[in-house]
Amino acid sequence: MFNFKTLAMRHPLNNIVAEIQKQERKLSAETSSFIDEAYKMTVYLQELLCSVKDDVIKEGFSSKDEEIHFFKQVKPNILGKLIYYNKVYRIETACPVDNGNLHQNYFALQLRDLKQEYQEHICNSEFYRYYRSGRTDRDGHYFTLGNINYYDGLNSFVFEIDPKFSTYFDYKVAKIIANELIYNYLTTKLSPEQNPDVLLQQEETKDFFWTQTKNALIELIYALYACDAISHGKIGIRKISMVFQILFRISLNDIHNSFHRMKTRAGSRTLFLDQLKYSLEEYMDREDNL
């Protein structure tokens, strides 16, 4: 087991993010469903957060800058992912059917509720504008212990937090991170035609559509993800999938189950990638003979 304190407090943020991504990759390969993966990630992140909390309360911080970094960057990234996976587990286990109108309406309703929460409680707040602008001038107030101002009329959950391990605003950052992840998850669940944020469905892209099988596209997506070909591996498989689904106007449904079936199919497990290699080499040979 890695040293939580060293990872979370003494090293840059990307170390702890990399450790979480490593666990995500491991569980993605081992679990048979997204429900199982979400549950195991929830347990893992809860244990991680508890371990970090024990170290913080026991050891404290060596400087104010370290304290700000922890509550602005490190803890929210752990807690944000924890909120996300717990929410996904709850959504998936309550989903009525695997496909059809009821399935689509269910996820559309979840997306509507998420957007309503964002509009009512997040986007119009002074803190949200501060955080999104990248400002740092009030970090000492927002991200150090002992500065909770009850005169501001804060949300009631503030009375349940541990003042030794929360500045109140670290939770707000975690919620922003979680909501973005949940939004990306929900948009992949909806078919591209119903996607409320169709970034690429412009007139100039109307002729783009996928002509191979859905499994072939899933195979390609996982290959790009596995070799860190997109954003140095920092973008999750579902976000990559969402972009491809929007671009090609295709719904891939549960890509995890499809991927796990590929791992156990007879013959080559990479049928499409094998065909890609063969087709490209054949094309190169034709070019050489022209």
Side-chain angles (χ1 to χ4, degrees), residues 48-95:
L48 171 57
L49 191 64
C50 287
S51 296
V52 172
K53 178 180 179 179
D54 289 342
D55 286 326
V56 167
I57 292 176
K58 181 180 179 180
E59 301 292 338
F61 300 98
S62 62
S63 67
K64 184 177 179 179
D65 287 343
E66 182 181 84
E67 183 176 358
I68 290 172
H69 173 71
F70 179 81
F71 286 114
K72 186 177 184 179
Q73 302 288 344
V74 177
K75 183 187 171 187
N77 273 277
I78 302 173
L79 182 56
K81 279 289 184 79
L82 176 57
I83 294 170
Y84 161 68
Y85 277 109
N86 182 58
K87 179 68 173 180
V88 166
Y89 179 78
R90 288 163 54 199
I91 292 174
E92 288 283 343
T93 52
C95 184

Side-chain angles (χ1 to χ4, degrees), residues 10-232:
R10 309 302 179 189
H11 289 290
L13 172 65
N14 59 355
N15 285 4
I16 200 162
V17 171
E19 193 65 36
I20 292 173
Q21 289 176 340
K22 179 181 177 182
Q23 183 69 5
E24 289 174 324
R25 288 173 181 267
K26 178 176 180 291
L27 291 179
S28 179
E30 294 177 352
T31 54
S32 60
S33 70
F34 194 23
I35 291 177
D36 191 27
E37 180 183 347
Y39 171 76
K40 290 182 177 179
M41 279 301 302
T42 299
V43 173
Y44 165 81
L45 290 163
Q46 175 66 17
E47 292 176 351
L48 171 57
L49 191 64
C50 287
S51 296
V52 172
K53 178 180 179 179
D54 289 342
D55 286 326
V56 167
I57 292 176
K58 181 180 179 180
E59 301 292 338
F61 300 98
S62 62
S63 67
K64 184 177 179 179
D65 287 343
E66 182 181 84
E67 183 176 358
I68 290 172
H69 173 71
F70 179 81
F71 286 114
K72 186 177 184 179
Q73 302 288 344
V74 177
K75 183 187 171 187
N77 273 277
I78 302 173
L79 182 56
K81 279 289 184 79
L82 176 57
I83 294 170
Y84 161 68
Y85 277 109
N86 182 58
K87 179 68 173 180
V88 166
Y89 179 78
R90 288 163 54 199
I91 292 174
E92 288 283 343
T93 52
C95 184
V97 290
D98 291 334
N99 49 48
N101 290 335
L102 190 58
H103 177 272
Q104 293 295 323
N105 291 338
Y106 173 75
F107 285 102
L109 180 61
Q110 295 291 331
L111 187 59
R112 188 192 70 183
D113 291 345
L114 180 70
K115 293 176 74 173
Q116 183 175 345
E117 177 189 353
Y118 166 78
Q119 291 169 352
E120 291 180 357
H121 303 293
I122 298 178
C123 69
N124 292 324
S125 69
E126 177 185 350
F127 174 75
Y128 182 78
R129 292 192 294 272
Y130 172 87
Y131 177 73
R132 277 294 180 221
S133 69
R135 287 167 54 190
T136 59
D137 53 289
R138 299 199 66 193
D139 281 2
H141 171 72
Y142 287 134
F143 302 112
T144 56
L145 296 170
N147 290 323
I148 298 177
N149 183 4
Y150 297 99
Y151 288 110
D152 290 339
L154 306 174
N155 291 336
S156 59
F157 78 84
V158 70
F159 302 110
E160 301 177 17
I161 65 176
D162 187 343
K164 296 178 182 178
F165 189 62
S166 180
T167 72
Y168 175 72
F169 290 98
D170 60 270
Y171 176 81
K172 284 186 169 292
V173 175
K175 281 290 289 183
I176 292 170
I177 293 172
N179 281 1
E180 291 180 350
L181 291 170
I182 295 167
Y183 175 81
N184 289 333
Y185 154 74
L186 289 174
T187 54
T188 64
K189 286 292 185 178
L190 294 167
S191 66
E193 291 79 11
Q194 295 174 298
N195 196 311
D197 187 25
V198 187
L199 301 178
L200 297 176
Q201 289 192 7
Q202 305 293 334
E203 180 68 20
E204 59 269 22
T205 64
K206 68 178 182 179
D207 295 328
F208 280 78
F209 53 94
W210 186 254
T211 53
Q212 277 279 353
T213 66
K214 289 185 178 182
N215 277 347
L217 183 56
I218 292 171
E219 195 176 312
L220 176 62
I221 290 170
Y222 267 94
L224 294 172
Y225 174 72
C227 69
D228 297 340
I230 299 175
S231 301
H232 303 290

